[in-house]
Amino acid sequence: MYRRRITRCFEGEVGLKAVIDPEREVLATIHNLLGKKATELSANGSSTYAEIRKNDMTQLSDLMRKHKCITSSNDVIADFGSGACTALFHMCHSLSCRGIGVEYDGNRSYVAASYLRSLLKKLGTNPKLNPNVVAFHANIFDLNEIPYCVKVLYLYDEAYPPDLMKHTAGLIKGAMNLGWVVSFKSGKHHEYAGYLEVNADLEFVEQLVCRKQGSGESSRASLYRCKPRHAWNRRL
């Protein structure tokens, strides 16, 4: 987060001055303030809900950049099960786009709002901060469609039950403007290999190994490309 440079003091002496890199400060604060706190809510990092480490989220963002998942600052990443919005803030900051978080747990939504206020207060003067993220308290089962503005859907879905996986796959299949999906399900539960390809009409692109804060337990993020959508696929 800091780099040092040699500066010449008024007295003519040479000293060391710490210079804050605004870009690094944003990512470090996101994970120190949001990620660690969210992981504390997840059985001290040992549960499936623990946040992904900062360096691995950076690699995932780089993977999305490599495949041109985000091409405009107006593009939107949606996170279903957004928790404290750590991953969403990281991706939107790294890719310079907008974000929508959906979290069904009322306590997590309240805690996320509290942490986000602290984040904005701490980084309010940082010119690199991208605040274009909104989060909602909602149940995914109550969603009839994925908003048309969403370009990428991020699913930390290791713990999704079968009925939620089925509902989410239906939402994805009917999303007319969705281009990409990130899912962790098949990387953790091998019985779901090929599930989204068949039930959500996706094409597997690449997989990335990630680790969780706290436990260091590994996860695997799979990047999928949406096949061309047709009007008759739209959910009614």
Side-chain angles (χ1 to χ4, degrees):
M1 185 168 123
Y2 297 99
R3 57 187 172 86
R4 291 178 178 268
R5 71 181 180 192
I6 298 178
T7 59
R8 192 167 298 279
C9 303
F10 289 111
E11 295 81 9
E13 298 178 355
V14 175
L16 290 176
K17 180 180 179 181
V19 179
I20 298 176
D21 183 332
E23 183 76 19
R24 291 172 180 264
E25 182 190 28
V26 170
L27 292 180
T29 304
I30 288 172
H31 285 266
N32 287 333
L33 187 58
L34 300 182
K36 288 184 178 179
K37 294 295 185 183
T39 296
E40 288 173 6
L41 297 176
S42 308
N44 295 320
S46 61
S47 85
T48 54
Y49 297 101
E51 300 285 349
I52 299 298
R53 289 179 177 178
K54 175 169 66 72
N55 291 344
D56 294 328
M57 281 307 306
T58 296
Q59 290 185 40
L60 180 57
S61 298
D62 289 343
L63 180 65
M64 294 166 66
R65 184 180 294 106
K66 167 187 169 183
H67 290 284
K68 297 181 172 59
C69 300
I70 297 295
T71 57
S72 165
S73 59
N74 291 321
D75 288 342
V76 176
I77 299 175
D79 183 352
F80 285 2
S82 53
C85 293
T86 311
L88 187 60
F89 250 102
H90 188 126
M91 291 183 291
C92 292
H93 172 76
S94 296
L95 298 168
S96 301
C97 64
R98 301 177 180 183
I100 298 174
V102 178
E103 174 56 49
Y104 83 97
D105 186 284
N107 181 58
R108 285 180 179 276
S109 298
Y110 176 82
V111 171
S114 175
Y115 292 156
L116 288 174
R117 283 194 295 270
S118 298
L119 176 73
L120 294 174
K121 182 178 180 180
K122 185 175 180 62
L123 295 176
T125 59
N126 189 311
K128 294 292 185 178
L129 176 65
N130 174 14
N132 291 326
V133 173
V134 294
F136 298 93
H137 176 209
N139 192 324
I140 299 173
F141 282 114
D142 293 333
L143 300 179
N144 294 319
E145 62 182 3
I146 295 174
Y148 190 80
C149 62
V150 174
K151 184 77 173 291
V152 177
L153 178 61
Y154 177 86
L155 302 170
Y156 195 26
D157 50 1
E158 287 184 351
Y160 274 26
D163 56 346
L164 184 54
M165 283 299 300
K166 181 179 179 180
H167 180 73
T168 304
L171 291 176
I172 294 170
K173 190 171 184 178
M176 302 301 295
N177 200 44
L178 186 66
W180 304 85
V181 175
V182 176
S183 169
F184 290 77
K185 190 67 172 182
S186 64
K188 183 73 172 181
H189 302 279
H190 300 305
E191 66 272 21
Y192 276 90
Y195 181 89
L196 290 177
E197 290 93 320
V198 173
N199 293 280
D201 207 18
L202 300 181
E203 175 188 356
F204 174 80
V205 176
E206 197 167 341
Q207 192 173 78
L208 178 70
V209 176
C210 303
R211 295 195 177 277
K212 301 173 185 177
Q213 288 195 34
S215 68
E217 181 185 352
S218 64
S219 295
R220 286 176 172 79
S222 296
L223 177 65
Y224 299 89
R225 181 187 291 109
C226 295
K227 295 180 181 178
R229 301 315 196 204
H230 302 284
W232 49 264
N233 270 344
R234 190 176 180 87
R235 290 169 61 94
L236 298 177

